[in-house]
Amino acid sequence: MTEKVILLVEDNPDDIDLTLRVFQKSRIANRVVVVKDGAEALDYLFCTGEYSGRNKVEGPSIVLLDLKLPKVDGFEVLRRIRKDQRTHMLPVVILTSSREQKDLVEGYENGANSYIVKPVDFRQFTAAIEQLGLYWLVLNESLDET
Amino acid sequence: MLGILTGWYKEYLLAQRRVQAENRLDLYGNILKDTLDHHLALLTALEEFIAIHEDENTLRSRFTVFAKGLYSGKGGLRAIQVFPPEGKVLVYPRDGNEATLDRNLVDLINDERIEVQKDVQHAIESRSTVISGPYPLRQGGFGFVARKPIYRDENFWGLAVTVIDLESFLGIVGLVPPGGKLLNIALRTQQDPAFWGDNGVFEDHPVRYTIFLADKSWEVAAMPVGGWFKSVQNGLIVFWVTGGLLVLMAAALSFLLMQRQIQLSTLVKERTALLEESQREYQQLYDTNPDSYLVLDVHGSIVHINPAACNQYGYSEEEMHGLTIVDLTIREAATVAETLLEQVLSGAGNLTEWQTRKDGSQFCAEINARRALFKNQPCVFLTVRDISERKQAEKSLAESENRYKTLIASMPAGFAVHEMIYDAMTKPKDYQFLEVNAAFERLTGLKAEELIGRTLKEVLPGTESFWIEMFGKVASTGRSAHFENYSKELGKHYDVVAYAPAENQFAIIISDITDRVEEEKQRLEFQKSLEGRVLEQTEELRVRVDESERLNRAMLNLLDDLNMSNQELEILSKRLTGANKELEAFSYSVSHDLRAPLRGIDGFSMALEEDCSDSLDDKGKEYIARIRRATLQMGSLIDDLLRLSRVSRAELQILPLDLSAMAKEIADQLKRDTPGRVVDVLIHDGLRGEADPRLIHIVLENLFGNAFKFSGLNKDAQVEFGRNTVDGEEVFLICDNGDGFDMQYADKLFAPFQRLHRADEFEGTGIGLSIVKRIIDRHNGRLWAESVKGEGACFYFTLHSAEEGI
């Protein structure tokens, strides 16, 4: 069984550190790959650019995707994931500050598996990430295991 | 003495010749007449054929087959023609008649031969067959033409024509070439010069025979060749010489006897020649006659036949010999066969029997049987005439009659035939019913058995005289009539067509038009009343038009003003749209970007508290707690602000709502959220309104939330949600017995971020009531509050469902 890798797509360094801290606190020991914009995320996912030499077997088991990203925004990244044969089944959780209805709708329309609003209250944020990890990394049966 | 005797003998001989000539002429005449009748009968068959085929295309397509059946080519029949109203003439056979193929009815009516033109005219006017000619035929030769006018629905339709070649026609009695060896024969039409033979024949006391035709007659005359005297001259000479010798010389008796012997033998020779000639002519007649002649012996076996019989039956003469008439006749039982034989052998006159030919085909024959002598033996002489065509024509006629009878019986229109009854002054006074159909019974309500044989006045004594006068005119003039009239006795309006099928009779075809007439009457009345109303309303309309013109002018002025403000509005609207877009971008950015640093502050504060708690004293920990409280407060403010902006931008969805149910649900939730509180909530039933459900939920949530919040210090907290009607307007109200507020600050109540309480008294952001105000505004309603500080507050709002304007 290969290790389940988490791909975190996030440009805000504070949010990156806090999210990693939550993983650590919640004892989620999976390897977390952090990319800081949409273009880098696509490079990593499809083994192009600086990630062309990446071990292809170690594909991510889940993507945590922010929407407001430099270069290529989160929706575009999501669309490309769903369009590509290699990644179209990959679980994608949108993790964003936006409570806007239209973002929520667009996210689900493009095939997001979950939409989580990052709360200001860090305790609530921690709870949300813990549940997310429990669900996607422990409870949910992914395709390559069956 | 001799002179007297000679004179007497001459008279005697002349009389004898005359009788002989008459007998012969009678025979010729009968045959000609029969043949001609046969040709004219074809016209009746043609007429029937035309009547059956109403459609002219069918008529044309079937003509050849039909005409072929009629055409025998015998007796001089040259052509059968039908001139329909349109298109070319129909001709059978086409061979030999090529010159006439392109003719049509108009050509014929306007024929360049004036006599033909006159005869055609005469036929159409007299409605009967007219025979023209003989004259040179268009298709060549010399002959005569019989034309029968055809009528359809009482209107002239066209002509049926047979063309007869004179030479062939006369040939059947051996008159061709003219002038036989014994008789000179001539023919003429009434008193016209002879068209056949020597006209002089008519001048010299000929024997005569008259053939009566449809519209004229033909005269056939005959006299011996060389004149009457010459025919008896030889006889007289014999007589004279014989007489003279008796008186003058007894002595020369032997000589005279010898002389007389010579004379006698000459006479015998002459007589023999005469008889032979006569015999030959009879034979010729016998051989060429179109009718079949059969001679039977006393046992019914055929002993002699003429060539026509061979043709007729398809046997050779030898084959025919020995057969009996029974063999040639279709009979179903032997007993009947015997009866037939008995009938024939007794010479029982005319019989109609179906005959069979050698090839098995059949024809209907009229058989005439006479007892006679043949070769000095008693025999039966049979004349057999094929009458299949006549039978066919009779059958067609019967069928056609039957068709019309069925039509009359089953047609929806009423049909009746009547006999007119006249008074002494020949004025019509009544009429008798002869025949009525089922529809007539139905349309009049009178039964056939109470009508037939009775008169109108017996059946309907009160009938208007109009009917008798009207029908009397039809019966006496023969002119048909079409009219509509009302019958008082029957209480109905009828459409009537009347015509005269026979003298003093009239037939009518009626249909019941009562419904239509009544409808028309009502329509006329309605029209009249309508006209009156139209006049009234026109006047009213005119007044209104004036008024509306005045209004129009006022409207135009108003429109000018409006146009001005519309332009202003447009500018404003554009500005507003721009502002809205800016606001949207702003709130999006607030949502995203303002919350992220707050999350950082809160997150790292917590990290500090957790990771460095050892190096922090209590004061440091309290500061961290304050930082976090302030951060969360900022977070709620941002969320509320976003909600306010969303309320302003959301599209309204107005639905009828049960506000009581919604309020109960909200109150229950609030009770669950504040488990330590006891609040007495009174929600009146049946509070309904039309509003956007999502937004009105926010309103109730806020107002109930405030009521709960501000009654928090009261142990007997009460919240009521109800409705009043003020000046006909529905006003919803939510009241509590909480802290209330000072009315002097009431105007600040609904402004964002305005709070009338300190944060340590009651927490809050000061946005809630602004949101409520915004929502009520968007429903075109009003929101206000009344309160006495320390005693409670009441919030009132109204809803007007219509979407707000810009």
Side-chain angles (χ1 to χ4, degrees), chain B residues 738-780:
Chain B
D739 191 48
F741 57 88
D742 192 336
M743 283 295 281
Q744 66 170 309
Y745 303 118
D747 57 331
K748 293 187 172 172
L749 209 53
F750 305 113
F753 305 112
Q754 288 286 341
R755 304 203 68 227
L756 301 185
H757 295 88
R758 295 197 312 272
D760 54 357
E761 286 175 329
F762 298 102
E763 53 179 26
T765 57
I767 301 288
L769 285 177
S770 317
I771 293 175
V772 170
K773 169 78 171 146
R774 191 67 63 81
I775 292 173
I776 299 297
D777 283 350
R778 292 208 57 194
H779 285 81
N780 293 331

Side-chain angles (χ1 to χ4, degrees), chain A residues 12 14-15 17-18 21 25 66-68 96-100 102-103 117-123 125, chain B residues 588 591-593 595-596 598-600 602-604 606-607 610-611 628 631-632 635 639 642 646 649:
Chain A
N12 184 328
D14 285 354
D15 274 353
D17 285 352
L18 287 169
R21 184 184 155 80
K25 283 251 164 191
D66 193 11
L67 289 179
K68 222 180 159 201
T96 174
S97 304
S98 171
R99 285 178 188 278
E100 288 293 298
K102 75 177 175 60
D103 285 347
V117 178
K118 290 183 243 177
V120 170
D121 189 332
F122 191 71
R123 250 191 274 275
F125 184 59
Chain B
Y588 191 78
S591 164
H592 248 84
D593 301 345
R595 280 151 51 93
L598 283 179
R599 204 163 45 247
D602 191 58
F604 288 114
M606 205 171 152
E610 286 169 4
D611 294 0
R628 291 201 58 214
T631 311
L632 296 183
D639 283 349
L642 282 174
R646 228 177 280 139
R649 285 178 290 135

Side-chain angles (χ1 to χ4, degrees), chain B residues 72-87:
Chain B
S72 61
K74 286 183 199 159
L77 183 61
R78 182 76 183 270
I80 295 172
Q81 297 176 324
V82 170
F83 283 88
E86 302 286 340

Side-chain angles (χ1 to χ4, degrees), chain B residues 440-539:
Chain B
F440 188 88
E441 294 178 87
R442 188 164 40 73
L443 292 180
T444 59
L446 302 167
K447 293 277 135 216
E449 48 277 20
E450 50 183 311
L451 291 173
I452 305 299
R454 299 180 68 193
T455 73
L456 176 71
K457 283 184 175 164
E458 285 166 8
V459 181
L460 302 169
T463 298
E464 300 90 336
S465 57
F466 165 84
W467 298 94
I468 297 173
E469 284 163 19
M470 195 70 199
F471 293 142
K473 227 179 272 173
V474 172
S476 58
T477 61
R479 268 201 294 275
S480 47
H482 183 187
F483 60 92
E484 288 176 4
N485 201 32
Y486 179 72
S487 165
K488 199 167 59 196
E489 280 268 35
L490 299 171
K492 282 180 176 176
H493 293 271
Y494 291 103
D495 176 286
V496 183
V497 175
Y499 65 95
E503 207 179 336
N504 292 335
Q505 283 189 6
F506 67 93
I508 61 172
I509 298 165
I510 60 165
S511 42
D512 185 352
I513 54 163
T514 311
D515 289 351
R516 199 195 75 205
V517 171
E518 288 299 325
E519 250 168 45
E520 216 156 276
K521 218 187 267 173
Q522 278 173 13
R523 197 173 52 77
L524 276 175
E525 274 167 26
F526 180 68
Q527 210 168 339
K528 246 181 221 164
S529 78
L530 212 61
E531 275 164 15
R533 264 155 56 194
V534 164
L535 280 178
E536 272 169 34
Q537 291 189 353
T538 310
E539 179 56 26

Side-chain angles (χ1 to χ4, degrees), chain B residues 562-709:
Chain B
L562 263 178
N563 277 342
M564 290 293 286
S565 22
N566 263 349
Q567 283 167 4
E568 284 162 25
L569 264 178
E570 245 169 62
I571 294 165
L572 275 178
S573 162
K574 267 182 201 157
R575 275 189 208 155
L576 197 63
T577 313
N580 263 339
K581 276 190 185 147
E582 258 168 55
L583 188 65
E584 232 167 86
F586 170 73
S587 60
Y588 191 78
S589 144
V590 163
S591 164
H592 248 84
D593 301 345
L594 241 51
R595 280 151 51 93
L598 283 179
R599 204 163 45 247
I601 295 169
D602 191 58
F604 288 114
S605 303
M606 205 171 152
L608 191 64
E609 196 181 17
E610 286 169 4
D611 294 0
C612 312
S613 65
D614 293 347
S615 47
L616 280 174
D617 59 6
D618 288 350
K619 207 169 203 173
K621 283 176 189 164
E622 202 212 315
Y623 289 158
I624 288 174
R626 285 194 178 185
I627 292 171
R628 291 201 58 214
R629 260 209 305 283
T631 311
L632 296 183
Q633 172 78 4
M634 181 78 183
S636 335
L637 270 171
I638 291 169
D639 283 349
D640 279 354
L641 266 176
L642 282 174
R643 214 174 289 142
L644 177 63
S645 108
R646 228 177 280 139
V647 161
S648 309
R649 285 178 290 135
E651 271 191 29
L652 289 190
Q653 253 197 320
I654 305 295
L655 297 170
L657 298 173
D658 182 351
L659 298 179
S660 300
M662 192 184 274
K664 268 179 197 138
E665 195 184 295
I666 289 165
D668 288 348
Q669 181 63 42
L670 281 168
K671 279 181 185 169
R672 279 195 296 277
D673 290 349
T674 53
R677 298 267 323 264
V678 179
V679 181
D680 181 13
V681 180
L682 173 63
I683 295 170
H684 293 264
D685 284 329
L687 304 180
R688 310 190 138 270
E690 289 193 347
D692 183 291
R694 213 161 39 84
L695 294 184
I696 213 70
H697 195 271
I698 293 172
V699 166
L700 293 180
E701 220 169 33
N702 269 287
L703 293 178
F704 268 92
N706 280 350
F708 267 65
K709 186 161 73 181

Side-chain angles (χ1 to χ4, degrees), chain B residues 31-43:
Chain B
I31 292 168
L32 290 179
K33 167 82 173 132
D34 281 358
T35 311
L36 197 59
D37 280 349
H38 179 79
H39 293 332
L40 295 181
L42 298 183
L43 293 174

